[in-house]
Amino acid sequence: MLLVIADSLSYYGPEGGLPADDPRIWPNLVAAELDWDVELVARIGWTSRDAYWALIGDPRVWAAVPHAGAVVLATGGMDTLPSPLPTALRELIRYVRPPALRRQVRNGYQWLQPRLSKLGRPVALPPHVSVDYVEQSRAALAQLRADLPFVGVLPSVHICDAYGRVHTGRAPAVRALTDWSAKSGVPLVDLAEAVREEIFAGAANPDGIHWGWEGHAAVARSMVKVISEVRAAEAGAS
């Protein structure tokens, strides 16, 4: 079984969100190539912090870990996006009552967010905080199954108007994650390398952040390569 803990990049296609069993999204492409089942635990807007919370708190994860052949922690893109307004504010809008006030608050947020995003900072999670949550996730899994292959990612790219088409937070995150990978030995799949051409050609989702089918296929190829290499290395060492 392949266990994937991810954000919406794992299940959004060129026209929007899809069911977890859609055969065209990259987790299912990877699982099909490896002849595995897949457990996808994901939600739109998830950061590395949310992934860690899911890891320690979601019973689907607890059930999947004993049977998993590999775990992919595919969050981090949201961590790097401009978040000039607190993330908690965005999450709490849905709870505002009455509905008329909620609509006003949401409209105000949607008006301010892209304009303030031009500042490029702060990001949703600083790089050292993202890395800390990824390391906590790795360590938690290692305590349960030291033999379980663990794969991380480097953030994707975007040209999303909702974030002012600004992504200055990506480079610092890449440096921090790359340093962590060198110390921990955890391999990283560079999502940007896989989808950059499609995103910047305007051939993906019109929102400028989610991928088209070629993006999903390219990510799947990269994931299969890395997972296969990790499993081969572990088999050779045993």
Side-chain angles (χ1 to χ4, degrees):
M1 174 186 288
L2 175 68
L3 172 59
V4 178
I5 305 176
D7 55 27
S8 58
L9 294 178
S10 65
Y11 64 90
Y12 264 60
E15 296 180 355
L18 295 159
D21 63 351
D22 191 292
R24 298 167 294 179
I25 59 177
W26 71 257
N28 292 326
L29 293 173
V30 173
E33 184 67 24
L34 297 174
D35 196 24
W36 287 356
D37 294 327
V38 62
E39 182 70 61
L40 174 60
V41 180
R43 185 174 170 184
I44 191 168
W46 268 10
T47 63
S48 299
R49 176 173 53 201
D50 298 298
Y52 173 70
W53 288 343
L55 177 66
I56 65 173
D58 193 319
R60 291 176 300 166
V61 175
W62 306 344
V65 167
H67 310 288
V71 175
V72 178
L73 192 70
T75 54
M78 282 297 300
D79 304 29
T80 67
L81 294 177
S83 187
L85 298 173
T87 303
L89 173 61
R90 182 190 68 208
E91 294 297 317
L92 289 173
I93 289 174
R94 72 185 75 180
Y95 300 109
V96 174
R97 295 291 185 272
L101 177 59
R102 182 173 66 250
R103 287 191 292 271
Q104 291 179 10
V105 172
R106 181 176 290 115
N107 289 340
Y109 181 92
Q110 292 173 343
W111 188 87
L112 284 169
Q113 171 66 27
R115 289 163 174 81
L116 294 179
S117 288
K118 298 289 187 181
L119 298 172
R121 57 185 177 83
V123 293
L125 283 184
H128 72 277
V129 176
S130 294
V131 168
D132 183 59
Y133 277 113
V134 175
E135 170 57 22
Q136 288 186 65
S137 297
R138 183 209 63 78
L141 286 167
Q143 288 182 0
L144 295 174
R145 281 190 55 193
D147 64 320
L148 183 59
F150 183 83
V151 177
V153 299
L154 294 176
S156 183
V157 289
H158 79 87
I159 50 171
C160 183
D161 290 333
Y163 294 96
R165 298 194 171 211
V166 172
H167 206 182
T168 54
R170 183 179 186 275
V174 167
R175 290 193 294 269
L177 286 163
T178 301
D179 288 346
W180 169 80
S181 174
K183 295 172 183 175
S184 65
V186 173
L188 300 173
V189 172
D190 190 343
L191 300 182
E193 186 66 24
V195 306
R196 181 178 284 108
E197 183 176 350
E198 182 184 58
I199 288 289
F200 287 106
N205 190 300
D207 66 9
I209 196 166
H210 294 101
W211 312 328
W213 299 128
E214 178 51 38
H216 278 273
V219 169
R221 290 192 292 269
S222 297
M223 287 286 178
V224 169
K225 180 176 183 293
V226 169
I227 292 171
S228 298
E229 289 172 350
V230 172
R231 296 180 71 218
E234 291 197 349
S238 60

